[in-house]
Amino acid sequence: VVLLTGMPGCRKKTLEIDTSPPYLRDLAEQLDFYIGTAVGYGSATFPNNSQYMKTLKREFNAVVAEYTMKWGTIRPDRETFNYGPGDELIKFAEDNKMMVRGHTLAWHQSVPAWVEDGDFTRDEAISLLEEHIDKVVKRWQGKIREWDVVNEVIRDGLTGQPGENPRRSNSVWERFIGEDWVEFAFRAAAEADPKALLFYNDYGIERKNRKQDAVFALVEDLLAKGVKINGIGFQGHFVSGNVPSEEELKANLDRFHDELGLKVQFTEVDIRIKKPVTAEKLAQQAEEYKRVIKVALEHPACDAVLLWGVDDGHSWINSSFPEHGAPLLLDSRFDRKPAYYAARDYLLAEIERRQGGEEGEEGGEKEE
Ligand code: G3I
């Protein structure tokens, strides 16, 4: 709200934002689909920013903790399990009928110093990892539908040279345990909550490339060993103007579903725009968001798209890629951007198409 006052006879002028229905979550629910978002924590976001909270409740039917379910928040020291922030998100999600994704049980980042700088034997590190996963998964058993058990094992910049090691070397788990830490993590999660869906999550794999090939090989090998993996999370941190085509995105989902039988999701979508942000670039971003949602909705093994943030003002992009901006559907005033309307219009059209289809064609069935 911007109040122009002070001058005699000045009228209050407010820059109202559009909060009219229909809302993304209601349309998604009619399509048996989830449109969700990552949720921050603290005074600027959840649970203290009222506009952030109103928008979150109004527009989304799935949530994922942006960082409060990671080691960095839960494990300040060896003895402590700080579930508080995660508990708050779980209760909020239950109160607002939202699906919850768990993120993430094992990753090379957000590792507290007592682990990163620790001196653990292989067996000690395996016990540490298994204990963490067992306790955290059981804490929210039955409340978290699916977990990103392992995040970002494969490194960037693969050259395809013979004998090249595709794995990250900067992972404390790789260092202490060795490559089989991934298997230990998935097996621990499956034992802790046999009903939870277990995902491998990564970025830069949304089109056919060496990194995607390495992820495919990693997951294929684990599945061959009988490790329970239900799905692949394609994070979808895109740069506007370089978002894969509809055909590429579909082929990407098809590869992991058709060949490995996996569920597929876009788990952390944002589409950052090279500054200066213009109306033309926002229009291009709108088309790109529609493209991602269309591919996801049409895929029988995909039932969710989650954005990595509620609004442009609270996006990790602002600090990590300062030369880019405006990555999400809502601007920093929580007002709707062209991308929001493009997403909403597509969901509306898809509902009408399926209603029309009920008289005749197939359409929209999702695999269990
Ligand atoms: O807000 C607190 C502040 O109160 C506290 O004093 C400070 C001290 O550590 O932490 C602040 O929270 C930080 C938070 O970002 C908000 O800025 C956390 O430390 C920091 O770890 C956190 O970074 C997150 C990062 O993952 C590492 O966990 C980002 O929010 C989050 O967007 C980013 O998300 C990752 C996904 O998990 C995996 N895929 C890539 C994606 C982007 O990097």
Side-chain angles (χ1 to χ4, degrees), residues 135-147:
K135 289 189 172 175
V136 171
V137 170
K138 283 177 176 167
R139 174 73 177 191
W140 295 308
Q141 185 164 3
K143 300 174 187 289
I144 288 186
R145 185 183 84 154
E146 57 201 48
W147 274 102

Side-chain angles (χ1 to χ4, degrees), residues 66-67 70 103 107 110 151-152 235 237 268 308 316:
E66 185 166 13
Y67 58 93
K70 294 171 179 173
H103 178 83
W107 186 31
S110 189
N151 200 45
E152 303 174 8
Q235 292 182 12
H237 292 298
E268 307 184 12
W308 207 244
W316 72 291

Side-chain angles (χ1 to χ4, degrees), residues 46 65 69 85 147 169 211 215 285 346:
F46 174 99
M69 290 189 182
W147 274 102
S169 56
K211 185 170 184 178
V215 167
Q285 181 193 55
Y346 181 75

